[in-house]
Amino acid sequence: PLCLVLCADDRQAMIRKLEELKHKIHNTRIPIRDKRALFLVKCLYFSFPIAVGYGLMQITNPDPLKPPKGMKHVDDSDPLLQQRRRLNEERLGALLEAARRGRDGEDEHSGTSDK
């Protein structure tokens, strides 16, 4: 029990000293009297976050030419894939044609035309 009391007192003293050190570090002001050095520091404070942000953006953005992880290269010579592609293109073409006919029909009924 005596050790716990002493340890607690030491811990409190250590926390107090740490807080004093933090206060001293963060409240210390060193004026920059040289105008060129002050300008340089201001430029550094302005440009550093921009440069770091740009660097992080370049690191995190994926390369558009590189396929995503887990994506495999598909062999185009497979007849089943060619058939599926042809059916998808036909369905898409039919949907686009129906949308065009619907749009053109609405334009004729409303009296306005894009043509």
Side-chain angles (χ1 to χ4, degrees):
L2 183 61
C3 179
L4 293 176
V5 174
L6 291 176
C7 293
D9 289 339
D10 290 342
R11 194 174 316 141
Q12 291 294 331
M14 192 166 63
I15 290 172
R16 191 181 73 250
K17 287 181 182 179
L18 181 63
E19 289 298 322
E20 289 172 3
L21 178 64
K22 287 186 342 187
H23 181 76
K24 182 179 179 183
I25 289 172
H26 291 289
N27 289 328
T28 301
R29 302 274 185 214
I30 301 172
I32 301 174
R33 291 190 173 91
D34 185 15
K35 291 190 182 220
R36 284 180 257 167
L38 182 62
F39 177 75
L40 183 65
V41 168
K42 286 181 179 181
C43 288
L44 181 69
Y45 271 53
F46 176 78
S47 61
F48 186 75
I50 295 171
V52 169
Y54 181 77
L56 288 173
M57 184 181 69
Q58 292 302 316
I59 291 170
T60 58
N61 280 346
D63 184 8
L65 302 177
K66 185 178 175 185
K69 290 180 182 176
M71 194 170 189
K72 299 176 186 174
H73 177 71
V74 179
D75 186 15
D76 290 340
S77 64
D78 185 8
L80 181 61
L81 289 176
Q82 289 176 355
Q83 181 183 7
R84 284 184 180 173
R85 181 180 292 134
R86 189 172 56 255
L87 286 172
N88 284 338
E89 287 173 355
E90 289 173 3
R91 287 180 190 155
L92 180 61
L95 285 171
L96 287 172
E97 186 59 35
R100 282 189 194 114
R101 275 188 270 123
R103 184 193 66 201
D104 292 343
E106 288 176 7
D107 289 343
E108 291 173 5
H109 294 300
S110 67
T112 60
S113 176
D114 292 338
K115 296 177 184 177

